[in-house]
Amino acid sequence: MDTPRQGWMDADLTLFQDSTRRLFDKEFVPDEEKWRKQQHADREVWHKAGRMGLLCVSMPEAYGGGGGSFAHEAIVAAEQARAMVYGFSNNVHSAILAHYILNYGTEAQKQRWLPKMATGELVGAIAMSEPGAGSDLKSVRTTAVRDGDAYVVNGSKTFITNGLHADLVCVVAKTDPQAGSRGVSLIMVETRDLPGFRRGRLLEKLGQKSGDTAELFFDGVRVPAANVLGEAEGRGFTQLMQQLPRERLLIAVGAVATMRRAIDETVAYTRTRQVFGQPLSDMQNTRFKLAECETVATIAARFVDDCIARQLEGALDLSTAAMAKWWTTQMNCQVIDECLQLHGGYGYMLEYPIARMYADARVGKIYGGSNEIMKEIIARGMAA
Ligand SMILES: Cc1cc2nc3c(=O)[nH]c(=O)nc-3n(C[C@H](O)[C@H](O)[C@H](O)COP(=O)(O)OP(=O)(O)OC[C@H]3O[C@@H](n4cnc5c(N)ncnc54)[C@H](O)[C@@H]3O)c2cc1C
């Protein structure tokens, strides 16, 4: 059962949602088990997603994109989360990196990268986090030092989504280490056959096991000076901050979709499971627990709908996006935990979707800015 969406869905978007759901279920879900075992999807999945029109749905057609809006992006994100397909992070690639390029890139940069991202010829990643710097991004140690017509990049990044397949990595680096946040730039690194660039371990994760999350190393990597995003140094921190509300909202969109799926799975399971001579769904505890979950999922969907409508108007602020991110990811974990409990021992078995959801959902409270950082942002907004 879908929670009816309010304020931003229309008949065309509903059709788009239906076809996107069918695509994920038919074309990607069957491969997930294999990808989970090998801890990454096959590179071909990106070409396939490109052929099916799932990449860069909100990029202008002039750059090879689908010409849609954030609403289309939100639908793809929700359907991918509902389908539990983690083998390729379309959010990082299409909804985040492509928008950095669209918003801050020069015309030449847009022409060079966006059409290839839309087909899956280029896979995108964003490399902010380092072994010693996650929440505190100002303390990144990766440097990009100007040398003639190039930057020389040195440093190491970790936890990088799409890290195994990435051909285009947006590296957060210090171009002026003395200038604090004003010394941070976004350097676009094309990784194919690039001397000094190395991928490290594919990291073994608690959940989202089919996703390739990797370490990346840059050892004297020379990047053309024209690859600074927007061809202007020192704007990286501002560029990151301006895009954060949409990134966080997309995490919230995924959390809402996952909650919905968890409840649907549990309603179906408890109807068939017999306990003490009656369906588990008839027990008052089951009915009350599911009623609580349904209430939370509905409130979450309504709040996120409101955030999507604001985002479409260009009016989503940092604080509201932070609320959406922390609260929905927290509630997602809570709802899934209740649903898992109602599955009994089967809920602990990975062959049941609810067990995988339990593990997959946990990272929502950590990445995209941890939930503690979200509360810092909200509290700062209250003090202003
Ligand atoms: C599966 C996965 C995928 C990821 N993908 C990417 C990616 O594609 N690109 C990328 O750059 N990064 C990525 N990350 C990294 C992610 O963004 C960081 O893990 C996250 O920002 C937290 O940073 P950290 O791990 O260094 O934790 P730390 O910053 O060391 O935080 C540790 C704890 O301290 C808390 N804390 C930190 N500062 C404060 C504070 N000021 N007040 C209160 N509490 C605080 C945190 O909330 C956390 O609970 C990914 C991480 C994971 C797990």
Side-chain angles (χ1 to χ4, degrees):
M1 183 184 84
D2 275 332
T3 312
R5 309 314 299 257
Q6 289 186 343
W8 61 279
M9 283 293 274
D10 60 22
D12 284 348
L13 288 169
T14 304
L15 284 177
F16 179 70
Q17 180 185 40
D18 291 346
S19 63
T20 305
R21 182 169 297 186
R22 276 197 301 277
L23 275 183
F24 273 111
D25 286 347
K26 179 163 173 276
E27 302 291 342
F28 299 101
V29 169
D31 290 326
E32 263 285 317
E33 193 174 341
K34 175 187 150 198
W35 295 341
R36 279 199 296 275
K37 286 193 180 124
Q38 64 189 27
Q39 290 191 72
H40 61 86
D42 302 325
R43 176 64 177 81
E44 163 56 21
V45 73
W46 287 97
H47 297 289
K48 185 172 174 179
R51 281 195 303 277
M52 295 183 167
L54 290 173
L55 304 181
C56 298
V57 288
S58 62
M59 281 297 113
E61 288 171 13
Y63 300 118
S69 68
F70 182 81
H72 296 85
E73 209 71 74
I75 286 170
V76 175
E79 292 310 316
Q80 184 160 2
R82 191 203 67 89
M84 299 167 65
V85 169
Y86 293 104
F88 62 107
S89 177
N90 196 24
N91 269 356
V92 166
H93 175 94
S94 303
I96 305 177
L97 182 58
H99 278 268
Y100 282 7
I101 300 168
L102 183 70
N103 285 310
Y104 308 118
T106 61
E107 189 52 37
Q109 290 175 335
K110 292 179 207 179
Q111 298 278 0
R112 183 174 171 83
W113 295 316
L114 291 175
K116 289 182 181 166
M117 289 179 74
T119 59
E121 193 183 325
L122 284 181
V123 172
I126 300 177
M128 298 183 258
S129 305
E130 301 183 356
S135 304
D136 181 12
L137 266 186
K138 283 183 193 144
S139 65
V140 294
R141 295 175 64 178
T142 298
T143 53
V145 176
R146 186 74 186 248
D147 180 26
D149 59 358
Y151 281 96
V152 180
V153 181
N154 280 292
S156 53
K157 298 288 182 180
T158 192
F159 303 141
I160 306 307
T161 301
N162 297 338
L164 176 70
H165 292 312
D167 315 284
L168 182 65
V169 181
C170 174
V171 177
V172 177
K174 286 206 167 142
T175 38
D176 182 356
Q178 313 322 324
S181 61
R182 280 195 223 109
V184 174
S185 302
L186 303 185
I187 311 282
M188 303 297 291
V189 179
E190 294 180 67
T191 61
R192 273 181 211 159
D193 304 320
L194 183 64
F197 170 74
R198 190 166 59 82
R199 297 174 212 272
R201 284 178 305 149
L202 197 54
L203 300 167
E204 193 178 352
K205 303 191 293 298
L206 172 71
Q208 303 197 1
K209 285 184 179 283
S210 59
D212 52 319
T213 309
E215 299 168 321
L216 303 179
F217 298 102
F218 303 84
D219 185 10
V221 168
R222 289 185 76 82
V223 181
N227 280 26
V228 177
L229 194 61
E231 282 189 8
E233 277 187 20
R235 296 198 191 149
F237 208 74
T238 314
Q239 291 166 339
L240 289 172
M241 292 302 129
Q242 284 171 349
Q243 292 301 309
L244 286 172
R246 64 178 285 128
E247 297 180 28
R248 291 175 178 152
L249 177 53
L250 283 162
I251 294 176
V253 164
V256 165
T258 308
M259 263 186 252
R260 182 73 267 143
R261 168 95 190 251
I263 296 168
D264 291 349
E265 292 284 338
T266 310
V267 167
Y269 178 82
T270 55
R271 280 186 186 151
T272 54
R273 179 70 175 168
Q274 294 285 317
V275 287
F276 297 93
Q278 59 174 321
L280 177 56
S281 57
D282 286 355
M283 299 241 152
Q284 192 187 54
N285 177 64
T286 308
R287 291 153 51 75
F288 282 11
K289 285 293 174 199
L290 284 172
E292 287 169 16
C293 290
E294 185 67 25
T295 307
V296 169
T298 302
I299 294 169
R302 292 287 176 271
F303 183 52
V304 167
D305 279 343
D306 184 61
C307 291
I308 293 172
R310 286 186 201 211
Q311 173 66 26
L312 286 164
E313 290 163 8
L316 183 66
D317 60 280
L318 261 180
S319 186
T320 308
M323 289 178 198
K325 194 270 174 183
W326 92 257
W327 194 74
T328 57
T329 54
Q330 177 77 27
M331 290 304 121
N332 190 26
C333 289
Q334 230 164 280
V335 163
I336 291 170
D337 188 47
E338 295 288 10
C339 288
L340 186 151
Q341 186 70 14
L342 288 171
H343 280 69
Y346 295 100
Y348 201 67
M349 300 299 134
L350 285 172
E351 66 196 83
Y352 281 77
I354 197 70
R356 293 202 303 279
M357 281 183 199
Y358 184 81
D360 294 340
R362 184 60 180 83
V363 76
K365 297 198 274 187
I366 299 168
Y367 65 13
S370 73
N371 283 3
E372 291 70 32
I373 296 296
M374 296 305 101
K375 291 171 198 174
E376 273 294 331
I377 292 169
I378 298 160
R380 247 180 266 146
M382 292 165 73

